[in-house]
Amino acid sequence: MWRFGRPSGTEVLRWRCQGSPRDLCCKLHIRSLVFSQCLSCLYYNQSTDPIEIHKQKLTLWFSHLPREERQFGGYFSPETMHVEPLILEQHPDEDRGLNPFKEKTGISTRPSLTPEQLFDANNNGNKARGLNVLLYGAVGTGKSTVVRKLMLDWCAGSVFSQFKLVLPFSCEDLSHLSKPTSLRDLVGRKYMHLRKTPYLSGDNDKAKDVLFIFNGMEKMKLDFRIGSTELCSDPNEALPSGAVVVNLLRKYMLPEASILVTTRLSAVDRVPKKYINRYVQICGFNDPHRQRAYFTSRLLQQNEGKPGMAAETLIEMLYLNLQRESQLATACFLPTYCWLTCATLHLLHFTDTKSPIRTLTGIYTSFMKLNFGGEVITVDGNVSSQEQQNSLMLYVVRTVGKLAFDGITNKRTSFSAEELEQWVGGKTKTDEELQQLAVFRTDVLDFFLVPRNDHGTDPESGGRRYVFAVPAMQEYLAALYVVLGENKSILEKLTKEVSEALGQASEDITSLLSILSKIIPFRIFAVFNLLKLFPKLFERVSSLSKGRIADTMTAEMFRSEDSFNEDVLDQVEQSLLGVHGPQPQEETYTRAFELYPIFMGGLLHYGNRRLLDQLGCSIKSHTVSQITHVLRKHLIKESQKKQPPEELMDLLVLLYEFQNPRLTAEVLQSIKTINLSNVRMTPHKCFVLSTVLSCTSSRFHLNKLNLSSCHITPELLQMLWPAFHHTSNLNLQFNSLGPESCILLRDLLLEPNCTIKSLQLCDNYLTDAGISHLLEALSGNHSLQRLCLMHTGLGDRSAQMLAERLGQHDMLQELNVAYNNIGDSAALTLVDACREHPSIHTVHLYLNQLTDVAKQSLYVRGGPRVKEGRRVKVLASVTEGSDISEDWHPILSVIGKNSLSWDRDRVREQLLVFLKDLEWGRKQHQSFWKKMHFRRVESVVRQMLRLLEKSSDTGTGTSTKLCNYRRS
């Protein structure tokens, strides 16, 4: 857990091999240690009191934030982040039951303890002896976090004032000490400035001012039998580290000293009850108020510590979901799951261009490392000789991961107790395996699986059902189970065993035959060289299995039944924030597992593989190469098909999680259009799109990038800047862009390598101020051919500026300023400027404040010029004088598609004007066919008016009917 003082070379090598320890708040990198030691030198020169030096060193050590915490912005302090968990005085026997899959309990009626009350003098019957307090709890309840806060508060002088010296130790470190050492040498080794401290001499009763803290007792072997651990009261006598701890707990050595031991439930019985004065259980966050306080401390302080509206909204939605007794509320009993929730939401909503590359797979892998980093399956503190095979994380994958994979294969998220018994330890045989299973069930199983919180039972069997605490955890563990190759077929298992056996035997047989061939030169002995083929056969079968992993990823990624689901990042967010609005009458527990293949791709990234290797789960580079080779073919084939926007977003997320620039560039080469319309873009989705497109060369350009109706704000537009350099047709209509967004778009158009030919900004409130910025780009841009500014709040001033600036840009061909507030005079001036322009051929002016006289004048002015013979098409109405405009269909199509999102009164008013013009034009003609043509267009306008009247009752169905007029 902690390492104080200067580490030895052996400690450094062991730390690097095993990875940093488990706990969230107390594990640091070697470089952080060196940095903190350098800083501490500044303090040591100012004080000569060893106790003060000790406090300064501990403060520097425990104040340091690990890398996983710094992802929240780096401006949090331990004081602002700490939320006190529920601590109860409770004997462990009261918390045990025969059922290994215990249900989380509600709020206890016992009074809660504060950490400073652990050594209350009123609980000590023998004043001559110090108290022994055992603090136990499940994985992730916050034992080490509480100890860290205690140390910081003691150093600040706010708690434990009765102790003049507090000495924290890591039981994991102590268990690796190979040579016997005395207590004083042990303290001096960790804290050099305390080598001569009188508090450990054993003289008088000075030890009453000392508190020892032993964190993580489950990682240390303690034997309290007299025959195994001799009695010793001399703190200067060299003993094994376990014997030193045992004699301290026996109160045989320094009996006046107090001791705090933290451990998991499975190791509580390692210390006999007679040596413990007080049992205290840490229960995590037992109510939504503590959980909300935790979320607030991490999510509310964004933008350099200033509260933001987005964070406040997230917290309110989280709190509502917790109050509904959702599955998240059950998971967040454990503070570590609160951390996972905050980390995920921080990734989804607070990613910015300055943030380091972070992936969802990386967060879950870091989460595993924080809780199980470097741990191996132990029984009474004994570690098996085959540590790699017995790593705790690998044990989790082979049991809980297998259960998760079976659930995904059969589309199930809940499991019966019988299924848990089958998959978790169902094939154990030896006593050692049974003991490991008992420890695993006691400490770890409840960490992943909890009873389903609907208080319901299985409709078939009537028994209790269990689910994963966080839904995405099932997909992560199943993906890890597959990528690690644990899902082997019978042929693969048989081929591997035969290959290994014959491969070893072939070496011995070859050596023997090489000797015999010199005496008896029979060529028939050469037949036995066929044995060498078996290892190659296994390699071939293994290669096919890696290809099968890629096949599984592709099949799960592009399932036809999942095509109309929301994108995978929205599904992750809904699992945390809940679904707000009308709920389905019948809840179903079958769902799509679209995160499963994305996790499989993310686990192949080198950074995640490095962390997994520290957890004892090794994924070889050769395996990754084989999977990538097959996956590349599948992804290129599937990307050539037209995918729904949500599925295309999922593909981009997969490429981002994979973090393979070469593969990403090759897949994107087969994609000509990225259509993400109606996908709710968040900061992380914008970052994903920009990062993925940045993997391509500067010569790669999309035919179209459609980001319409994506809830893009000016802040998100800045994050999408790199993506805009790879498209010629940019659609940003129906978003939340304002005048300030035009400054960024102006700079984009002024780039020397700008390739944007079409820019659609419809239905963004740009106003005259925004257009003035945008038009500044006309003089320096040489690519823009189509500019769409429909329904952007333009007035006569914008039309006048357009007329003045059009001459500075000779490439524009089409200008759309329909549905604005442009009057007659400004419209005529604009059309005159377009007639003088060398390339403009179409101007959209319908749904503006134009009179009938102006419309007729616009039609006349749009006619062919005498010299060039070029005609500027002016779309101002469905009629042109007494005739029907040849562009009536595009005009009505645009109105029908957008009528429900526009001001309905204004749309209705314009449709009535169109109807009046059509009726007047029909009366001007005597031809039967002309009249029929007028009546056909009239019927379309009348039908649109009727549907518009019913829109308040029919909702989206009306929108669909209106859009169908594009085909009429």
Side-chain angles (χ1 to χ4, degrees), residues 299 310-319 345 349-350 577:
L299 294 178
E312 292 179 355
T313 303
L314 282 179
I315 292 173
E316 288 301 323
M317 296 176 70
L318 265 174
Y319 188 60
L345 289 176
H349 289 276
F350 301 109
L577 301 180

Side-chain angles (χ1 to χ4, degrees), residues 753-768:
N753 57 348
C754 178
T755 59
I756 294 180
K757 297 181 180 179
S758 174
L759 179 60
Q760 301 180 57
L761 298 172
C762 309
D763 285 86
N764 290 288
Y765 192 66
L766 305 180
T767 70
D768 295 341

Side-chain angles (χ1 to χ4, degrees), residues 424-617:
V424 182
K427 297 182 180 180
T428 55
K429 298 178 181 180
T430 65
D431 290 341
E432 182 181 1
E433 289 176 336
L434 290 173
Q435 292 176 353
Q436 291 177 355
L437 176 61
V439 173
F440 180 77
R441 284 180 170 178
T442 303
D443 290 341
V444 181
L445 192 57
D446 283 347
F447 181 81
F448 293 103
L449 293 162
V450 297
R452 203 167 68 188
N453 64 347
D454 58 354
H455 305 291
T457 57
D458 187 358
E460 297 181 0
S461 63
R464 166 71 66 179
R465 306 288 294 183
Y466 299 88
V467 297
F468 281 84
V470 174
M473 186 62 69
Q474 178 179 357
E475 299 177 75
Y476 177 84
L477 290 177
L480 187 55
Y481 178 78
V482 173
V483 172
L484 287 175
E486 295 295 329
N487 182 33
K488 295 184 177 68
S489 63
I490 298 177
L491 176 62
E492 290 172 328
K493 295 178 181 178
L494 180 62
T495 305
K496 181 179 180 180
E497 294 177 359
V498 174
S499 176
E500 290 177 351
L502 294 181
Q504 295 176 358
S506 64
E507 298 178 0
D508 299 333
I509 294 175
T510 301
S511 301
L512 178 62
L513 293 180
S514 63
I515 298 174
L516 294 176
S517 62
K518 298 183 181 298
I519 304 174
I520 308 174
F522 291 145
R523 296 183 179 273
I524 193 171
F525 286 126
V527 176
F528 289 95
N529 287 329
L530 293 175
L531 294 174
K532 297 180 179 179
L533 296 177
F534 283 97
K536 297 181 179 179
L537 174 63
F538 169 69
E539 292 179 2
R540 177 59 178 169
V541 174
S542 177
S543 177
L544 292 175
S545 70
K546 304 303 185 295
R548 196 175 75 244
I549 294 176
D551 296 338
T552 301
M553 291 177 61
T554 308
E556 294 291 336
M557 188 72 196
F558 300 99
R559 296 177 65 91
S560 58
E561 57 266 33
D562 299 338
S563 299
F564 300 100
N565 295 337
E566 294 178 310
D567 66 87
V568 66
L569 294 180
D570 276 356
Q571 294 179 34
V572 172
E573 181 179 321
Q574 288 179 6
S575 69
L576 300 178
L577 301 180
V579 179
H580 298 270
Q583 302 292 322
Q585 294 181 354
E586 295 184 3
E587 187 175 0
T588 176
Y589 290 96
T590 59
R591 64 178 180 87
F593 296 98
E594 297 184 68
L595 198 55
Y596 168 53
I598 293 177
F599 274 143
M600 293 174 67
L603 288 170
L604 300 179
H605 173 48
Y606 171 75
N608 292 322
R609 287 191 287 122
R610 180 171 55 83
L611 291 178
L612 288 172
D613 188 61
Q614 297 173 7
L615 292 170
C617 302

Side-chain angles (χ1 to χ4, degrees), residues 163-220:
F163 300 116
K164 296 181 179 179
L165 179 62
V166 179
L167 299 170
F169 286 94
S170 166
C171 290
E172 182 183 12
D173 284 350
L174 296 179
S175 66
H176 287 89
L177 295 178
S178 57
K179 296 181 179 180
T181 183
S182 67
L183 175 61
R184 291 183 65 91
D185 291 340
L186 184 63
V187 173
R189 181 176 180 178
K190 292 294 182 180
Y191 311 104
M192 294 181 291
H193 49 278
L194 297 177
R195 286 181 175 177
K196 299 180 180 180
T197 179
Y199 293 102
L200 302 178
S201 63
D203 299 336
N204 301 323
D205 58 349
K206 291 185 177 182
K208 66 181 177 59
D209 298 327
V210 178
L211 170 63
F212 290 96
I213 298 179
F214 297 103
N215 192 43
M217 189 189 66
E218 70 276 359
K219 299 179 182 180
M220 190 174 188

Side-chain angles (χ1 to χ4, degrees), residues 25-26 62 65 78 82 144-152:
C25 299
C26 303
F62 286 103
L65 292 177
H82 184 76
S144 296
T145 305
V146 168
V147 172
R148 182 192 64 130
K149 185 62 166 57
L150 281 175
M151 294 306 306
L152 289 173

